[in-house]
Amino acid sequence: MSVLDKVQLPKDIKKMNNSELDELCADIRELLVETVSETGGHLASNLGVVELSVALHKVFNSPTDQIVFDVGHQCYTHKILTGRKDRFSTLRTEGGISGFVRPVESEHDIFSSGHSSVAISQAIGLAKAKKIKGEKGKVIAVIGDGALTGGLAYEAFNNGSYGCENLIVILNDNNMSISQNVGSMSKHLTTIRTSKQYFTFKAGVRRIFAKIPKIGNSVNRLVTFINTEIRKKVYHATFFEDLDFRYYGPIDGHDIESLISVLTAAKTHSHSVLIHVNTIKGKGYNPAEKNPTQFHGIGKFNVATGECVSGGKNFSSAFGDTMCSLAEKDGRICCVTAAMAEGTGLSNFAKLYPKRFFDVGIAEQHAVTFSSGLAKNGLVPVFAVYSTFLQRSYDQLIHDVAMQNIKVIFGIDRAGFVGEDGESHQGIFDVSYLNTVPGLTVYAPSCYEELSLMFGKAIYHDNGAAAIRYPRGKENEMPEDYHYDKSDYSVFGGVNSENCIITYGREFSECYAAYKELDSTFIIKLNKIKPVEKSILTLLADVKNVYFYEESIKTGSVGEIVAAMLKENNIDVHFKHIAIEDEFVKQATIESQIKTYKLDRDSIVNEVSNV
């Protein structure tokens, strides 16, 4: 029996010695690699925090002590230790456990999360609420994996120490160059400061000084000041110390004994604490250690070789090829990304045009405003961003781009359903909020050819800002001999038919497949979805039934705009809008999500033929 077989809940590791905990970590790594090779997921980051997660549950008592994981994709070991080991094989599958922390799964998951740099803010709120209510327990924020490139983390640090003596922040530094190497002296000092003997001695000295009449408290304050200044000189950690956090580190994040020692010391503190932990992304699995970027978020792969099961061209790579082609001919074109160069298909662009490639870190708000500066001085910036992350830049999009009438181009990747990443990552909101931005033009390609030509059109023919939104994965089947003629919409079938299907983007393939099985039906394929070309109304004047299909939240969507256009122009038709109602889309395959929301060919045929 392996050590992992003995573990169901955090209490099961409380009495384990360090040797047993090391064996447990090895077992967990084996399970992580085996499972993610079948389900896909965030592997490298989770392999890096195995010992840290085990040590946290060894020292603290979750959920009385609340552990908040930033981003949430570092939580796999936490899930295994908190009652979900037997379901771990269902990771990221429909009806299975999420790849992120989700309170609906366990009381040990405090917040749902999927976006970066939020944990410290959440933890401060939790800590202050505990204090006000007189509740026991510490609050531990685990941040890192690039999350300190997000401005929200610094806003939280600025607010985090005062009145938060029950707050512990763990900085998981996995070679992100967050701080300098502070050397052997600081490591030795950390070892001393986290020992039980040191705390006993320190408390005793303070009690003795406090008993000295009149000057006792002043002596204690002087000693504290000297102690702080010495720490600053040794650690060079003035940033965290100046924000009034007690700093410990750096700690070897793969040394169970050291981790348990420093966490135990932090637990006894009556002051906010920051623990700096060094970890290795991909630790324990050679392919992930060698290429942590590839194994950050990966699909199914061969455990023996580390090779991905699926590959080939997709919309992201088509975007990257397009940018390289355009940049070769036009020195004004540059690309901006927020820590997603590989995910958005820009790795090759970064190599070919390093002076025109900008990775700003996990800072989407800055990326948009930074792009406006590039554009103001004559460049043509293209910000490549996942739909789910562009949500964070809504104000900058309005205020710093659209209001300035500046040409910034947005390449919105993962638009629509994204599959197994679940609620926090579905790209179903961008259509609705982009529709509220004055002067913004939005395109929705259905294939690689359209994607390439739409970027060219947005850059060279449109005024002001433009967005091209495209789905995750590969292009679907298109009509034979179809070529995008740069028109705002395309029509398939006889316009004198009784029924009209209107759609755009990836959903066009499902609608076209249904159209081939339907009688008296034609399709309007919107290529530009904002603004909607008003001339489509002439095609709908004599239609009996209009069906609008889209992978978007219904409120504020293109379908609602078309419905309003019909009403305002007194065009009386039966209008059916098939989109996502007021809900979050749960994890499943994209194919399953399309069927669930009745956007698949069979559902379309049934709907239109049974009017």
Side-chain angles (χ1 to χ4, degrees):
M1 176 182 287
S2 70
V3 176
L4 182 56
D5 290 334
K6 304 174 184 177
V7 177
Q8 290 294 335
L9 293 169
K11 64 179 183 178
D12 298 325
I13 69 173
K14 297 296 185 184
K15 294 183 180 180
M16 287 185 179
N17 59 38
N18 291 342
S19 177
E20 290 174 308
L21 294 176
D22 284 334
E23 290 184 47
L24 175 63
C25 291
D27 291 343
I28 290 173
R29 279 200 170 85
E30 185 176 341
L31 178 59
L32 291 177
V33 174
E34 177 187 326
T35 301
V36 177
S37 71
E38 294 294 329
T39 66
H42 292 89
L43 183 60
S45 54
N46 279 287
L47 288 172
V49 296
V50 174
E51 286 85 1
L52 175 58
S53 302
V54 169
L56 281 168
H57 283 292
K58 169 75 172 177
V59 173
F60 296 99
N61 297 306
S62 176
T64 301
D65 295 310
Q66 295 175 301
I67 304 171
V68 184
F69 285 91
D70 199 83
V71 183
H73 66 236
Q74 306 176 80
C75 67
Y76 290 6
T77 298
H78 165 77
K79 285 179 180 269
I80 290 168
L81 296 175
T82 53
R84 287 164 279 184
K85 179 186 68 176
D86 294 340
R87 297 186 62 214
F88 195 65
S89 61
T90 69
L91 181 73
R92 302 177 77 249
T93 61
E94 187 168 3
I97 63 172
S98 171
F100 299 91
V101 281
R102 294 286 185 262
V104 294
E105 289 181 8
S106 170
E107 64 179 347
H108 299 279
D109 291 3
I110 310 304
F111 286 99
S112 287
S113 67
H115 290 181
S116 169
S117 311
V118 302
I120 302 174
S121 296
Q122 293 169 334
I124 292 170
L126 292 168
K128 287 187 179 292
K130 273 182 174 289
K131 183 178 178 181
I132 290 170
K133 295 172 67 177
E135 292 181 351
K136 296 181 179 179
K138 294 285 187 176
V139 180
I140 306 99
V142 183
I143 190 167
D145 202 18
L148 277 194
T149 58
L152 180 60
Y154 295 96
E155 294 179 33
F157 270 124
N158 188 51
N159 183 241
S161 62
Y162 179 73
C164 283
E165 56 269 18
N166 52 348
L167 173 68
I168 299 170
V169 177
I170 297 176
L171 172 56
N172 171 26
D173 184 355
N174 47 20
N175 296 318
M176 297 300 294
S177 300
I178 293 166
S179 58
Q180 60 184 302
N181 187 332
V182 294
S184 58
M185 175 60 76
S186 67
K187 292 180 181 179
H188 178 63
L189 182 58
T190 295
T191 300
I192 294 173
R193 291 175 64 221
T194 57
S195 68
K196 185 176 181 181
Q197 293 89 338
Y198 171 79
F199 272 96
T200 303
F201 173 76
K202 183 178 177 181
V205 170
R206 284 186 175 278
R207 284 194 297 270
I208 292 171
F209 284 152
K211 292 177 181 179
I212 300 176
K214 297 184 179 180
I215 65 169
N217 291 333
S218 297
V219 171
N220 267 330
R221 285 194 293 271
L222 177 63
V223 171
T224 299
F225 173 77
I226 294 171
N227 189 19
T228 299
E229 292 303 308
I230 292 173
R231 289 201 309 272
K232 289 181 180 180
K233 294 295 183 183
V234 174
Y235 285 121
H236 309 294
T238 57
F239 176 75
F240 298 117
E241 292 279 348
D242 286 346
L243 291 174
D244 210 23
F245 279 81
R246 292 288 186 268
Y247 174 90
Y248 291 108
I251 308 298
D252 182 351
H254 304 295
D255 183 338
I256 280 287
E257 184 175 359
S258 295
L259 287 169
I260 291 173
S261 177
V262 73
L263 291 173
T264 301
K267 188 176 181 179
T268 64
H269 252 296
S270 57
H271 200 286
S272 54
V273 175
L274 184 131
I275 302 173
H276 181 176
V277 176
N278 285 333
T279 63
I280 299 171
K281 288 191 78 171
K283 175 72 173 178
Y285 180 56
N286 193 50
E289 284 194 42
K290 286 185 174 180
N291 196 347
T293 300
Q294 178 186 348
F295 281 86
H296 171 76
I298 192 167
K300 296 180 180 181
F301 64 93
N302 184 304
V303 174
T305 65
E307 294 179 355
C308 294
V309 173
S310 61
K313 190 170 185 176
N314 55 39
F315 274 98
S316 299
S317 63
F319 163 75
D321 293 342
T322 296
M323 287 300 101
C324 289
S325 177
L326 290 170
E328 183 181 10
K329 302 168 186 174
D330 190 338
R332 300 174 304 150
I333 293 174
C334 51
C335 286
V336 179
T337 183
M340 297 298 292
E342 184 163 310
T344 58
L346 287 176
S347 296
N348 195 38
F349 185 99
K351 294 175 183 176
L352 292 174
Y353 308 104
K355 292 184 179 180
R356 287 188 274 157
F357 173 75
F358 306 97
D359 187 342
V360 301
I362 306 176
E364 293 87 0
Q365 292 173 292
H366 165 64
V368 174
T369 303
F370 167 67
S371 295
S372 74
L374 294 174
K376 190 72 174 180
N377 268 357
L379 298 181
V380 182
V382 179
F383 176 32
V385 59
Y386 287 7
S387 171
T388 184
F389 300 135
L390 183 60
Q391 294 164 192
R392 315 185 86 183
S393 307
Y394 179 63
D395 178 66
Q396 287 70 33
L397 204 163
I398 292 176
H399 186 275
D400 301 329
V401 174
M403 192 183 298
Q404 315 295 331
N405 194 28
I406 289 176
K407 183 184 281 295
V408 174
I409 310 300
F410 296 87
I412 305 178
D413 201 333
R414 269 65 166 180
F417 297 128
V418 300
E420 294 85 351
D421 283 338
E423 298 100 311
S424 59
H425 280 58
Q426 307 297 342
I428 61 172
F429 302 104
D430 63 271
V431 169
S432 294
Y433 66 75
L434 293 177
N435 270 329
T436 68
V437 181
L440 179 70
T441 302
V442 183
Y443 295 93
S446 301
C447 61
Y448 306 148
E449 179 196 26
E450 287 184 340
L451 179 145
S452 180
L453 293 173
M454 286 174 180
F455 270 101
K457 188 177 181 183
I459 291 171
Y460 295 110
H461 299 288
D462 291 338
N463 295 318
I468 295 87
R469 63 184 308 274
Y470 43 94
R472 182 179 193 173
K474 302 178 185 299
E475 65 180 1
N476 292 329
E477 185 178 355
M478 295 291 288
E480 189 176 355
D481 299 327
Y482 169 73
H483 293 288
Y484 173 54
D485 61 5
K486 299 184 182 180
S487 60
D488 291 343
Y489 62 89
S490 306
V491 179
F492 302 85
V495 295
N496 295 322
S497 303
E498 290 187 357
N499 307 311
C500 177
I501 296 173
I502 308 177
T503 192
Y504 59 88
R506 170 171 52 194
E507 181 59 20
F508 168 69
S509 295
E510 297 288 342
C511 290
Y512 187 79
Y515 151 78
K516 291 192 293 185
E517 299 181 24
L518 292 165
D519 296 326
S520 193
T521 301
F522 72 101
I523 295 179
I524 297 176
K525 174 187 179 300
L526 299 178
N527 302 316
K528 184 170 73 174
I529 61 174
K530 183 183 184 296
V532 175
E533 175 54 53
K534 292 181 179 180
S535 62
I536 68 167
L537 296 176
T538 61
L539 303 177
L540 302 175
D542 298 319
V543 171
K544 290 184 177 180
N545 306 295
V546 175
Y547 303 88
F548 201 106
Y549 288 88
E550 59 183 323
E551 283 181 55
S552 170
I553 201 79
K554 183 177 285 188
T555 304
S557 64
V558 183
E560 283 200 347
I561 289 173
V562 171
M565 290 169 63
L566 291 168
K567 184 71 172 177
E568 289 168 2
N569 288 273
N570 298 314
I571 298 175
D572 187 17
V573 297
H574 169 256
F575 185 86
K576 184 66 179 289
H577 187 192
I578 297 88
I580 301 157
E581 299 291 347
D582 191 23
E583 61 184 283
F584 293 100
V585 176
K586 294 181 170 57
Q587 67 192 43
T589 63
I590 292 174
E591 181 182 14
S592 177
Q593 289 166 344
I594 289 173
K595 288 182 178 179
T596 297
Y597 290 93
K598 300 187 183 304
L599 295 166
D600 61 298
R601 180 199 62 189
D602 292 343
S603 296
I604 297 168
V605 170
N606 290 336
E607 180 68 43
V608 177
S609 61
N610 294 324
V611 61

